[in-house]
């Protein structure tokens, strides 16, 4: 362990981790799951058993039921202490066990929520021999999600021009995902009807609590004139959302904003719908074979970007994106890569946003730039609220949201 100025360096089994804390002030204590009535408690005491373990893992994979899975279920039900991982071929075992050693004796409810929630999915991966069999126990759920979204994707893809439409349109699609109100786009409309996007943007504007669009567009303008520009996209869910992320990447490449887009993906199945490298390839293959012209053309274009190396998928050995470290704790080599080669990193989804905030309840009006000041490159978070934390939001807007919607912090509508 080394402390150099404002930099903390820790070496874990040959991997050097660096910590650069936010400038805003002392980091609040991370959320935990002990308090009944909170979203965190409901998630860790009920939802992960009923809605994930039973309804998806077991229901979709009855042949995977094993003593290890049964033991895991009982541990969660009785809020047992978290235990160390055994070697199972995963590249993250040492990192996990170092993290768990910090919470020795802590239970599924008393440990930090983010740690316990990520640990749940890592334990399922261990119990089903993911690193030996590579069988995705969430594959059916993700495939069903993709199939059910194809009609909506047809409507979107047939109405956008990835080369000429404004960047803000694609950012908006990536933010709201399948919550976009497609009824605003008449079935007989065509690409020339640019006013449709304006309508959609105006509708979403009412529920935006933190909007740095102008700063983002200024950053994009600078990237456009930079040779060999690279944008990183930390991906969240598969299905419609992954396709909207790929559409955003497509825009950056087709409009010649960036030369390369790197997708940072999970290295084992997580949060039911989080995307793996195999999901990206599967989604592209499905679209490439679709009967709808816009879907087929888009899928083939994405496939060409993959083949040319302009669209890069993070390797399975890169486990950082599936670990519960706050983003201010990062492997030195990754921090260096982002600092030296990334012109903008876009972080998608609630779990990734929670990592950006260290899963800590900062004041809701704490400046976003001060909370994520540790990033070695420009950063943009696209997130709808699904946990009881956030930052960068004015008191006037949060008060209005709370007055109109008692579940505004967790229902994904804001």
């Amino acid at each position: 362990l080394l402390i150099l100025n404002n930099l903390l360096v820790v070496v874990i089994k040959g991997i050097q981790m660096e910590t650069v804390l936010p400038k805003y002030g002392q980091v609040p204590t991370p959320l935990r799951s002990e308090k009944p009535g909170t979203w965190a408690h409901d998630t860790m005491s009920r939802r992960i058993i009923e809605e994930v373990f039973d309804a998806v893992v077991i229901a979709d994979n009855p042949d995977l039921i094993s003593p290890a899975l049964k033991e895991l279920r009982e541990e969660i039900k009785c809020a047992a202490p978290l235990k160390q991982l055994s070697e199972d071929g995963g590249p993250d075992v040492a990192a996990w066990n170092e993290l768990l050693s910090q919470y020795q004796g802590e239970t599924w409810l008393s440990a930090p929520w983010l740690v316990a929630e990520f640990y749940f999915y890592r334990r399922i991966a261990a119990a089903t021999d993911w690193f030996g069999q590579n069988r995705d126990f969430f594959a059916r759920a993700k495939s069903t999600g993709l199939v059910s979204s194809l009609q909506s994707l047809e409507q979107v893809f047939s109405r956008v021009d990835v080369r000429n439409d404004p960047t803000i349109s694609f950012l908006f699609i990536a933010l709201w995902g399948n919550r976009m109100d497609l009824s605003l786009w008449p079935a007989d409309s065509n690409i020339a009807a640019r006013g449709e996007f304006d309508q959609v943007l105006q509708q979403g504007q009412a529920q935006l609590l933190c909007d740095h669009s102008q700063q983002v567009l200024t950053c994009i303008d600078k990237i456009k004139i930079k040779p060999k520009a690279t944008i990183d996209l930390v991906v969240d869910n598969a299905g419609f959302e992954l396709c909207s992320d790929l559409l955003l990447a497509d825009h950056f490449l087709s409009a010649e904003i960036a030369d390369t887009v790197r997708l940072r993906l999970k290295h084992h199945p997580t949060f039911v719908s989080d995307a793996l490298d195999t999901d990206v390839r599967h989604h592209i293959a499905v679209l490439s074979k679709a009967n709808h012209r816009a879907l087929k053309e888009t899928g083939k274009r994405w496939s060409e970007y993959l083949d040319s190396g302009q669209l890069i998928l993070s390797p399975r050995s890169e486990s950082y994106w599936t670990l519960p470290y706050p983003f201010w704790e990062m492997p030195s080599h990754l921090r260096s890569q982002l600092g030296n080669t990334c012109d903008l990193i876009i972080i998608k989804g609630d779990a990734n946003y929670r990592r950006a905030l260290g899963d800590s309840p900062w004041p809701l009006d704490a400046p976003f730039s001060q909370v994520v000041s540790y990033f070695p490159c420009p950063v943009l978070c696209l997130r709808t609220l699904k946990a009881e934390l956030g930052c960068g939001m004015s008191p006037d807007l949060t008060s209005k949201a709370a007055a109109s919607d008692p579940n505004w912090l967790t229902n994904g509508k804001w």
Side-chain angles (χ1 to χ4, degrees):
L1 185 152
L2 299 172
I3 299 179
L4 305 172
N5 297 326
N6 196 35
L7 176 68
L8 174 65
V9 179
V10 178
V11 178
I12 304 171
K13 201 174 180 179
I15 299 177
Q16 182 171 295
M17 297 288 293
E18 293 183 2
T19 300
V20 180
L21 294 174
K23 290 181 179 179
Y24 182 76
Q26 185 174 353
V27 177
T29 301
L31 296 179
R32 297 184 182 240
S33 311
E34 296 170 295
K35 186 177 180 181
T38 63
W39 185 248
H41 182 270
D42 186 49
T43 296
M44 297 309 301
S45 65
R46 182 190 65 82
R47 291 179 61 242
I48 61 170
I49 295 176
E50 296 178 7
E51 299 177 14
V52 179
F53 197 99
D54 293 345
V56 183
V57 177
I58 300 304
D60 288 354
N61 308 275
D63 59 312
L64 283 181
I65 299 175
S66 66
L69 275 178
K70 292 179 180 178
E71 179 184 343
L72 173 60
R73 192 181 189 282
E74 287 306 309
E75 286 181 32
I76 300 168
K77 283 187 66 177
C78 65
L82 306 185
K83 61 185 184 182
Q84 299 260 306
L85 297 178
S86 300
E87 288 291 343
D88 63 356
D92 56 352
V93 173
W96 260 115
N97 286 338
E98 188 280 330
L99 271 168
L100 291 168
S101 69
Q102 300 175 32
Y103 308 108
Q104 191 169 1
E106 299 274 20
T107 71
W108 285 89
L109 294 181
S110 67
W113 177 24
L114 194 69
V115 172
E117 196 168 14
F118 272 74
Y119 176 71
F120 167 67
Y121 294 99
R122 183 57 179 84
R123 285 286 304 277
I124 296 177
T128 57
D129 191 25
W130 160 256
F131 295 103
Q133 308 262 346
N134 278 316
R135 174 175 166 178
D136 185 354
F137 37 88
F138 293 139
R140 181 178 176 183
K142 287 186 280 191
S143 179
T144 300
L146 174 61
V147 171
S148 67
S149 69
L150 289 177
Q151 185 174 0
S152 295
L153 290 170
E154 289 175 7
Q155 295 187 51
V156 175
F157 288 4
S158 62
R159 289 164 171 79
V160 297
D161 181 341
V162 291
R163 180 180 290 273
N164 297 308
D165 279 346
T167 297
I168 192 65
S169 299
F170 298 96
L171 291 172
F172 187 87
I173 294 171
L175 169 64
W176 291 114
N178 55 6
R179 282 199 62 249
M180 291 189 65
D181 186 358
L182 298 175
S183 66
L184 290 176
W185 295 2
D188 60 352
S189 64
N190 54 53
I191 289 177
R194 298 272 57 89
E196 296 163 8
F197 264 130
D198 292 337
Q199 286 181 281
V200 178
L201 287 169
Q202 288 171 10
Q203 186 198 46
Q205 191 73 26
Q207 291 176 298
L208 282 180
L209 302 178
C210 180
D211 183 8
H212 295 149
S213 299
Q214 290 308 308
Q215 294 96 311
V216 174
L217 296 179
T218 298
C219 180
I220 294 293
D221 287 339
K222 293 178 181 177
I223 294 173
K224 283 181 184 178
I225 61 176
K226 183 176 180 179
K228 304 297 181 183
T230 296
I231 293 175
D232 281 75
L233 184 53
V234 183
V235 176
D236 190 36
N237 294 322
F240 188 103
E241 187 172 339
L242 174 57
C243 290
S244 70
D245 294 343
L246 287 167
L247 189 68
L248 178 61
D250 188 357
H251 168 66
F252 288 142
L253 296 173
S254 297
E256 299 182 351
I257 293 170
D259 297 274
T260 305
V261 175
R262 295 183 294 219
L263 302 185
R264 306 290 186 169
L265 301 150
K266 299 297 192 293
H267 81 297
H268 68 72
T270 307
F271 287 99
V272 183
S273 58
D274 280 19
L276 308 170
D277 57 344
T278 48
D279 294 314
V280 176
R281 297 184 188 281
H282 172 67
H283 283 43
I284 291 176
V286 168
L287 265 60
S288 299
K289 297 174 183 177
N291 292 325
H292 191 276
R293 179 179 175 181
L295 294 184
K296 180 176 290 188
E297 290 178 350
T298 302
K300 288 184 176 180
R301 191 167 59 250
W302 293 351
S303 181
E304 290 169 0
Y305 282 138
L306 265 181
D307 293 341
S308 69
Q310 289 179 274
L311 185 64
I312 300 173
L313 312 185
S314 59
R316 288 277 177 91
S317 59
E318 191 175 277
S319 59
Y320 178 73
W321 308 105
T322 324
L323 286 161
Y325 290 108
F327 281 145
W328 57 71
E329 296 180 28
M330 188 176 289
S332 299
H333 72 273
L334 181 57
R335 175 173 289 278
S336 176
Q337 182 189 52
L338 293 177
N340 293 326
T341 67
C342 179
D343 297 288
L344 173 66
I345 185 168
I346 300 175
I347 296 174
K348 283 294 307 295
D350 186 70
N352 288 325
Y353 181 87
R354 287 167 58 193
R355 290 183 65 185
L357 272 61
D359 214 28
S360 298
W362 301 88
L364 294 179
D365 61 350
F368 176 77
S369 61
Q370 294 292 300
V371 174
V372 299
S373 59
Y374 57 85
F375 262 98
C377 57
V379 57
L380 165 66
C381 287
L382 297 177
R383 178 246 189 170
T384 56
L385 293 159
K386 295 180 182 177
E388 294 151 327
L389 53 77
C391 69
M393 299 176 281
S394 74
D396 286 347
L397 291 179
T398 54
S399 295
K400 289 179 181 178
S404 64
D405 185 350
N407 298 314
W408 70 282
L409 276 171
T410 58
N411 62 17
K413 295 180 179 179
W414 299 84

